Amino acid sequence: KFNNAPIQERRIAALSWEYKGMKMSCEIGGLAPAYYKTGSEPVIAILDCGLLYKVCTTSRGVIQGEAILVEKTSAYPIYFDV
C-alpha cells in the first residue's frame, strides 16, 4: 500500500536495467546497486507498477522513503517459478 502498487500477479525475483549508460541489477535478498546508496540493506521487494518497477529496501520504499524507480523500457525482470 505504501508504494501504491497493484496486487502482483507474478513475483519478481530479479531485475536488470540500464540507467544513464550504467548496467544495473538486483535480486531479492541481495543488494541494490551501489549507485542508490542503500548500504547493506537487502532488496525486499520488486514491484511491477505499470509503467515502472519499484525496487524496495528498508529505507527505500518499505519503512520510509521512495522506492528505487526503474523505467520498464530499459528493464528485464526474472520471475520466481510458480
Side-chain angles (χ1 to χ4, degrees):
K1 288 182 179 182
F2 179 75
N3 283 290
N4 296 318
I7 294 174
Q8 305 293 291
E9 292 183 27
R10 296 176 69 191
R11 295 179 352 147
I12 301 170
L15 189 66
S16 299
W17 70 97
E18 191 169 312
Y19 182 70
K20 294 185 178 183
M22 298 178 283
K23 293 185 185 229
M24 308 275 188
S25 66
C26 65
E27 64 183 88
I28 300 297
L31 301 178
Y35 176 86
Y36 297 102
K37 300 178 182 175
T38 57
S40 61
E41 296 176 359
V43 173
I44 295 172
I46 302 170
L47 305 170
D48 184 339
C49 294
L51 297 175
L52 52 89
Y53 294 105
K54 292 185 178 183
V55 177
C56 302
T57 68
T58 303
S59 67
R60 298 284 307 259
V62 174
I63 294 177
Q64 61 186 9
E66 180 71 42
I68 296 166
L69 306 178
V70 178
E71 292 183 18
K72 275 192 166 179
T73 56
S74 69
Y76 302 94
I78 298 172
Y79 296 93
F80 284 106
D81 291 333
V82 192

